[in-house]
Amino acid sequence: MLAALSALAATAGAWKLLGISWVAFLAMALGVPLGRRSLGDRPWALVWGYGLAAGAMVTSAAVFLVPQAIAHHATFGGFGVALGLLIGFAGHTIGHRLAHYDLPLDRTVAELSAHAFSAGIIIGVVYGNMPELGPILGLAIVSHKGPAGYAAARRLVTNGRDPTVLLLPAAGVGIAAIVASLVQLPAVPALRGVVFGFAAGIFLHVAMDFLPRCEIGSDVHELLTVTGDAHELLDQLRVHAVLSTGLGGAAVFLSWLVVS
């Protein structure tokens, strides 16, 4: 389906959206073999992967989406940002609640697929209505697909599951984005302010969710194989978390300087 829709996007000349879609697919797909092979103590890689992606996403949403929302309508744009943050939190919380039910599907794959399709819809609407947006925003938004695929593949292998099922959420961003790009928003400033603000709020929530948390019970802690008290190592990893997020934001800034 992604290949067929890519051909459609190519005929329409949507090259930026096409590139973002395939970068998202390849990032998560490449994370699968890395996560399959890496079952040892590799917390540094996850911290840097999450940190770089989160820093880039926070910066991109704040620089490229928030100003667009405010430019369309300052008040409704602000309400849109708040709505995106709150709905992002609600979706994350409800998704965790569903983890306690015995459902006939893999929770990891279901959560990643829902996230991928929802993110793809937002990316498609944004680029479909603002074709002048550069590719930096989209590439930064999907940069977390690599470390997410790595962590998910490692979790699936540990539980005796086949990690190739992650190719579904890997393709989900592109499938949803190309279809959603066909939706044209009315030229109503208040509506566009809400939509672009909502997109900014959602991506800010996702970015904050991917900030590397070096705490007991976190994804980073699960990768540790040390025995006894792990607080000292987690304290060291916190320094790497700060450095990686800062470099992720700086990378977006430097890329913007080069492009502009």
Side-chain angles (χ1 to χ4, degrees):
M1 185 179 294
L2 177 59
L5 289 174
S6 296
L8 176 65
T11 58
W15 298 110
K16 284 185 286 190
L17 192 61
L18 191 59
I20 293 167
S21 300
W22 280 97
V23 166
F25 176 79
L26 293 174
M28 181 167 279
L30 291 175
V32 172
L34 294 176
R36 184 201 296 266
R37 293 198 303 266
S38 177
L39 294 177
D41 188 1
R42 297 290 298 276
W44 313 94
L46 191 62
V47 167
W48 275 90
Y50 277 175
L52 289 170
M57 290 176 68
V58 167
T59 306
S60 297
V63 172
F64 301 116
L65 286 178
V66 173
Q68 291 288 345
I70 300 303
H72 284 298
H73 195 290
T75 303
F76 279 97
F79 277 123
V81 174
L83 181 65
L85 285 167
L86 295 176
I87 288 183
F89 169 76
H92 179 85
T93 303
I94 293 173
H96 179 75
R97 177 68 177 174
L98 293 177
H100 298 288
Y101 294 96
D102 187 18
L103 300 177
L105 47 84
D106 185 271
R107 182 174 65 89
T108 300
V109 178
E111 287 181 354
L112 288 174
S113 299
H115 173 266
F117 278 97
S118 59
I121 291 173
I122 298 174
I123 291 174
V125 171
V126 167
Y127 274 90
N129 289 271
M130 293 288 294
E132 65 273 18
L133 280 175
I136 298 176
L137 168 66
L139 295 177
I141 293 301
V142 301
S143 61
H144 68 285
K145 294 299 178 184
Y150 169 84
R154 185 182 182 281
R155 189 177 300 115
L156 288 170
V157 171
T158 302
N159 295 330
R161 301 294 304 276
D162 183 3
T164 57
V165 295
L166 294 175
L167 294 180
L168 173 62
V173 173
I175 293 172
I178 294 173
V179 173
S181 66
L182 302 176
V183 177
Q184 293 298 309
L185 297 174
V188 179
L191 175 62
R192 287 180 171 250
V194 170
V195 170
F196 281 91
F198 178 80
I202 285 289
F203 289 136
L204 283 171
H205 167 77
V206 173
M208 298 297 290
D209 196 41
F210 268 89
L211 287 172
R213 290 172 174 82
C214 306
E215 303 168 353
I216 300 297
S218 65
D219 288 346
V220 175
H221 179 249
E222 290 179 359
L223 287 178
L224 300 182
T225 57
V226 296
T227 57
D229 190 3
H231 281 90
E232 183 178 352
L233 183 53
L234 289 173
D235 283 340
Q236 297 175 16
L237 291 173
R238 288 187 179 97
V239 177
H240 290 266
V242 173
L243 291 174
S244 60
T245 52
L247 285 176
V252 172
F253 174 67
L254 294 175
S255 300
W256 172 77
L257 284 180
V258 171
V259 171
S260 61

